[in-house]
Amino acid sequence: MNLVLAKTDTERAVSNVFATARDRLPGAGEVAEARRQAFEAYERAGLPHRRIEEWKYTDLRALMREVAPLARWPDAAAIARAKAALGLVAVDGAAKLVLVDGVFVPELSGIAELGDGVSVRTLREILENSANDARSDLLLTSTTDAVISLNAAMVTDGVEISIADGTALSRAIQIVHVATASSASLFTRSHVNLGKATRATLIESFVAAEGASAYQTNDAVILRVGDGAELSHLRVVADAADAVNISSGIVTVGAKTKLNLFNLTRGGAVSRYQGFITLAGEGSDLSVNGINLLKDKEHGDTTLVVDHAVPHCTSRENFRAVVDDRGHSVFQGRIIVRPDAQKTDGKMMTRALLLSDEAEADNKPELEIFADDVTCGHGATSGALDESLLFYLRARGLSEKDAQALLIQAFLGEAIEEIADESLREFVMAQAERWLEVRR
């Protein structure tokens, strides 16, 4: 039976945005054809909704009431506002690569600070190179998710970072996305390639400049980690209160690597980070941790798929959520163990702390195991602050908010301690404390 699905008003608006913007998008020839095919793939699926299992708790048809037009090219005033906003998420000592309203801005970036062994190019310059049509592959992925297809069709810019074999970076690389526009959509995509035996720290940050509101971000990062490499990867989402941020990570991990990924969400009306991580080389160690800090009516979704494709790999997932007011936190974690992936060791745990009667947390850990010699497990809990501990702290002179903040910090600390780098741990804790200060 053929089933014909009528487009929603939101989906029709997406089609109109693409039709209007396609002449502004970089690339012709094979690049333009790849965009067209990606948009057709998106249209066949439509905006994700609750009948799609992976999007059960984040129904974009309902949550996105309208689709904003593509953001304009940032002018001097927008760049000045972006510069002022950088301090909100800047990591000391990091070499920054700054995108403003979806466009790379060299005058705010520090490519020269990266030194030898690192190559950085903008996605726009690669796609616009008429002699380089083969690089249309930068718009292709093996993932069929509709949001990623839409990203491929609409992407305006991003960065391609390549780190040569054996390079040990002395400073972190920080990709900063600054929104200055209002009621506009931003589409970015970056490729990060780590060579064999490299050592690096990668930070992604999303922040709103003063006056930015109701913008919609769709970002994708395609990350390849070479054999024997070590990568610390930190994400911080500090968007405007009425913003939408849908970010995707597609990660392929080589043999004998160490990857430590941490995601912090503390802003935005609707946010979702979906990570697709494939352990493709034996003997690798993966640690994925994160925190959702939500208040008002904020909706924060972390969805992870960890695919153990080969034997002798270890993965750990540890997530915390603190939800106040009418916020809604979602964690979906799936560990897949392929038939040949014997000696896999995979575990995940998620805990949610609900600070009001109307706060909500949906936790859905899953295991798909097709091998027999494995050690895997998962767990999920949710609950309120311990009243006896609150009473103890208040009896010693703390206000109710201060007592709650102390207990929340302890709850978050279990996840934050998984960050190997001390300076990054302090940075994340400072971001969490900023959220707690607003709560006071």
Side-chain angles (χ1 to χ4, degrees):
M1 180 178 71
N2 292 326
L3 182 64
V4 178
L5 297 177
K7 286 185 178 181
T8 65
D9 290 341
T10 304
E11 288 170 326
R12 282 191 290 271
V14 174
S15 298
N16 293 337
V17 168
F18 179 68
T20 302
R22 61 190 311 169
D23 291 338
R24 295 172 49 197
L25 300 174
E30 292 183 18
V31 171
E33 176 60 18
R35 289 186 185 278
R36 185 190 65 80
Q37 292 180 16
F39 193 76
E40 287 181 354
Y42 158 76
E43 284 206 305
R44 285 192 294 271
L47 271 179
H49 52 85
R50 59 186 175 83
R51 294 184 181 179
I52 300 173
E53 185 64 25
E54 295 83 357
W55 292 83
K56 177 179 179 180
Y57 302 108
T58 304
D59 185 342
L60 291 188
R61 291 184 180 180
L63 292 170
M64 291 179 62
R65 299 302 175 89
E66 59 182 18
V67 175
L70 196 65
R72 297 179 179 179
W73 193 280
D75 57 17
I79 292 172
R81 289 167 55 217
K83 184 177 181 179
L86 287 177
L88 298 174
V89 291
V91 174
D92 290 342
K96 295 170 184 59
L97 305 175
V98 181
L99 294 112
V100 178
D101 295 338
V103 177
F104 182 77
V105 179
E107 57 264 44
L108 297 183
S109 303
I111 293 178
E113 300 171 8
L114 290 170
D116 297 335
V118 184
S119 169
V120 178
R121 296 186 295 171
T122 69
L123 189 67
R124 173 175 285 272
E125 70 176 291
I126 297 171
L127 297 179
E128 286 183 336
N129 185 348
S130 59
N132 201 22
D133 273 350
R135 295 321 305 271
S136 63
D137 63 350
L138 294 177
L139 301 180
L140 306 177
T141 68
S142 59
T143 305
T144 58
D145 184 88
V147 167
I148 296 177
S149 295
L150 182 60
N151 175 276
M154 295 287 295
V155 61
T156 55
D157 208 350
V159 292
E160 183 191 55
I161 304 170
S162 296
I163 304 176
D165 293 352
T167 301
L169 295 186
S170 59
R171 60 173 63 200
I173 300 173
Q174 185 175 15
I175 303 173
V176 187
H177 300 261
V178 186
T180 71
S182 295
S183 300
S185 58
L186 323 173
F187 292 86
T188 49
R189 172 174 291 214
S190 295
H191 288 255
V192 182
N193 304 301
L194 274 72
K196 296 178 181 179
T198 55
R199 304 289 182 271
T201 297
L202 175 67
I203 304 162
E204 296 175 72
S205 305
F206 297 83
V207 67
E210 185 177 359
S213 65
Y215 57 86
Q216 300 167 356
T217 296
N218 182 332
D219 177 65
V221 172
I222 294 84
L223 174 61
R224 300 173 185 86
V225 186
D227 296 348
E230 294 185 12
L231 175 66
S232 293
H233 184 190
L234 171 64
R235 303 183 72 259
V236 176
V237 179
D239 281 310
D242 54 359
V244 174
N245 186 321
I246 310 297
S247 296
S248 306
I250 303 171
V251 184
T252 304
V253 179
K256 298 180 180 178
T257 68
K258 291 185 179 180
L259 172 59
N260 186 309
L261 190 157
F262 192 97
N263 180 73
L264 167 65
T265 299
R266 68 165 187 87
V270 179
S271 62
R272 173 176 165 117
Y273 174 65
Q274 50 179 13
F276 304 91
I277 305 172
T278 301
L279 295 168
E282 294 189 28
S284 289
D285 186 359
L286 170 68
S287 176
V288 188
N289 308 278
I291 292 171
N292 280 346
L293 300 174
L294 306 172
K295 56 183 176 60
D296 300 325
K297 296 181 181 180
E298 294 173 348
H299 178 103
D301 179 344
T302 302
T303 295
L304 294 172
V305 178
V306 176
D307 188 346
H308 285 262
V310 297
H312 300 285
C313 289
T314 299
S315 66
R316 294 289 185 269
E317 299 173 45
N318 182 16
F319 279 81
R320 298 286 186 272
V322 180
V323 192
D324 202 357
D325 305 319
R326 297 176 62 186
H328 183 194
S329 178
V330 176
F331 173 79
Q332 299 181 106
R334 184 191 308 164
I335 296 175
I336 304 172
V337 182
R338 302 295 176 180
D340 294 332
Q342 304 294 347
K343 303 296 183 182
T344 287
D345 183 355
K347 294 181 176 63
M348 78 175 95
M349 185 68 195
T350 175
R351 293 186 172 93
L353 187 58
L354 307 180
L355 302 181
S356 79
D357 292 338
E358 294 183 287
E360 185 177 357
D362 288 300
N363 300 317
K364 192 180 74 168
E366 300 176 84
L367 301 175
E368 293 184 12
I369 301 174
F370 303 100
D372 53 15
D373 188 6
V374 303
T375 302
C376 292
H378 64 72
T381 67
S382 61
L385 288 169
D386 189 316
E387 290 294 337
S388 62
L389 290 177
L390 281 174
F391 177 80
Y392 176 86
L393 293 172
R394 295 202 65 189
R396 277 147 185 80
L398 273 70
S399 69
E400 182 176 2
K401 289 291 187 180
D402 286 342
Q404 289 179 352
L406 197 61
L407 294 179
I408 293 169
Q409 284 178 320
F411 175 77
L412 298 177
E414 296 178 23
I416 295 174
E417 284 300 317
E418 298 295 330
I419 301 174
D421 186 279
E422 182 179 356
S423 62
L424 293 184
R425 283 200 305 271
E426 292 175 354
F427 173 78
V428 170
M429 184 55 80
Q431 293 287 316
E433 289 172 353
R434 187 173 296 173
W435 183 84
L436 290 170
E437 283 297 325
V438 173
R439 239 192 120 246
R440 286 194 177 102

